[in-house]
Amino acid sequence: MEASLLLGCLGFLVLVASVPYLLCKSSCKKRCVQKDEIIAGLEKDLSDAQYKDAITRAWNYPMFARKGSTAAKRVAHERKPISLVVVELTNLDSINMRYTVKTGDMVMKGIADLIKEESRSKNEENRPSDIIGRWNGPGLLVLLPHCDECGVRTFIERIDKRIASRAFSHKHQTVEVHLSYGACTQYGRQASIGDLIKKAEVALESAKTEKLPFRVVDHLGDEAVCGKTNREREKKMMGGVHWQ
């Protein structure tokens, strides 16, 4: 009887003595989890600083080109169209001068955010997701895999409508936003991201010169006409025949 009582007392003392240890272990584990989360956050911030534009949070050009080249290879293998859009805030300099550079940054970020909201996810149509990057000061790039000349026109019109309905302001003053768009669509072969950008920029300058809201061209730099058949596209790709 005395032996069992003694064992019971010893067991109780061991249990009591183990409580601080268990509490300490739980606290240490919690602190380790918190530190892991902090480290993961710092690693993400470092990755973002390396690969993303600080203002718009869109990809910087090196990462945009890398991701774009991967998407272009897949699209070429699938013989699908790919389109690239250059979006330019044409009055960014005047916004910076009339208001502040901070206001200009706010407008650029707002435009990028709206484009991200309208971009298509990779879960749609079993295709690569849209890729958004920063281009020079007033520009953004949008790569649209599996998107033909009709689709890119619809995308631009949707973006422009969203931005037109968005009110940008500085100290209760409405900030006017003027955008221009240029785009290039290519079919059936691997696209050079640099070449798509050059042709989209030419289309952009043409749109601004002719006071058009946007212009879409094909890989030869000609107007990309919506509604053409695959056979007509193939003829143009293979033989350089111009659409009438």
Side-chain angles (χ1 to χ4, degrees):
M1 185 70 177
E2 292 180 358
S4 61
L5 182 61
L6 180 60
L7 288 173
C9 290
L10 288 173
F12 178 75
L13 290 173
V14 169
L15 179 62
V16 171
S18 66
V19 169
Y21 167 76
L22 293 174
L23 291 174
C24 181
K25 182 178 179 181
S26 176
S27 177
C28 289
K29 185 176 180 180
K30 185 177 180 180
R31 286 199 296 269
C32 288
V33 170
Q34 291 175 339
K35 287 181 179 179
D36 288 342
E37 291 175 349
I38 292 172
I39 291 172
L42 291 173
E43 288 176 345
K44 185 180 183 303
D45 291 342
L46 181 62
S47 176
D48 287 352
Q50 185 177 2
Y51 298 121
K52 289 188 175 182
D53 174 63
I55 296 168
T56 63
R57 312 309 295 165
W59 297 114
N60 59 24
Y61 181 73
M63 181 53 70
F64 175 86
R66 187 187 306 176
K67 288 181 171 290
S69 296
T70 300
K73 288 178 183 178
R74 174 178 172 180
V75 168
H77 178 72
E78 297 169 340
R79 295 189 66 77
K80 297 288 187 178
I82 188 169
S83 298
L84 184 139
V85 185
V86 177
V87 183
E88 183 178 294
L89 178 59
T90 55
N91 65 326
L92 177 60
D93 287 342
S94 63
I95 290 174
N96 290 339
M97 292 177 64
R98 181 174 179 179
Y99 305 105
T100 62
V101 173
K102 186 176 180 180
T103 302
D105 291 344
M106 177 269 294
V107 173
M108 283 299 303
K109 185 179 185 305
I111 293 170
D113 289 344
L114 287 176
I115 292 175
K116 291 173 187 175
E117 290 173 10
E118 291 294 331
S119 65
R120 305 163 304 168
S121 73
K122 63 182 179 182
N123 295 323
E124 297 178 22
E125 304 173 10
N126 190 29
R127 57 155 187 81
S129 59
D130 298 340
I131 302 169
I132 303 168
R134 184 76 185 267
W135 182 242
N136 298 327
L140 291 164
L141 302 171
V142 188
L143 189 69
L144 305 167
H146 293 202
C147 184
D148 60 14
E149 60 271 30
C150 299
V152 74
R153 288 172 183 271
T154 300
F155 179 80
I156 292 172
E157 289 168 353
R158 192 168 70 243
I159 293 297
D160 200 52
K161 185 177 180 179
R162 283 288 309 276
I163 293 174
S165 64
R166 165 73 185 272
F168 295 97
S169 63
H170 172 81
K171 294 182 179 179
H172 307 294
Q173 295 182 2
T174 300
V175 178
E176 292 189 8
V177 173
H178 302 297
L179 296 173
S180 290
Y181 308 83
C184 179
T185 298
Q186 183 166 301
Y187 282 83
R189 64 179 182 181
Q190 185 174 337
S192 161
I193 300 302
D195 192 49
L196 284 175
I197 293 173
K198 287 179 182 178
K199 289 191 169 57
E201 283 192 310
V202 171
L204 171 69
E205 292 304 317
S206 176
K208 290 194 292 186
T209 300
E210 299 181 30
K211 300 187 185 312
L212 299 173
F214 64 86
R215 168 154 283 169
V216 182
V217 299
D218 61 21
H219 72 288
L220 296 178
D222 299 326
E223 190 81 17
V225 180
C226 183
K228 290 299 179 180
T229 65
N230 287 335
R231 178 175 293 182
E232 289 171 307
R233 295 186 185 111
E234 288 292 331
K235 284 177 64 179
K236 186 162 181 116
M237 288 294 298
M238 301 300 295
V241 178
H242 289 258
W243 292 332
Q244 297 299 318

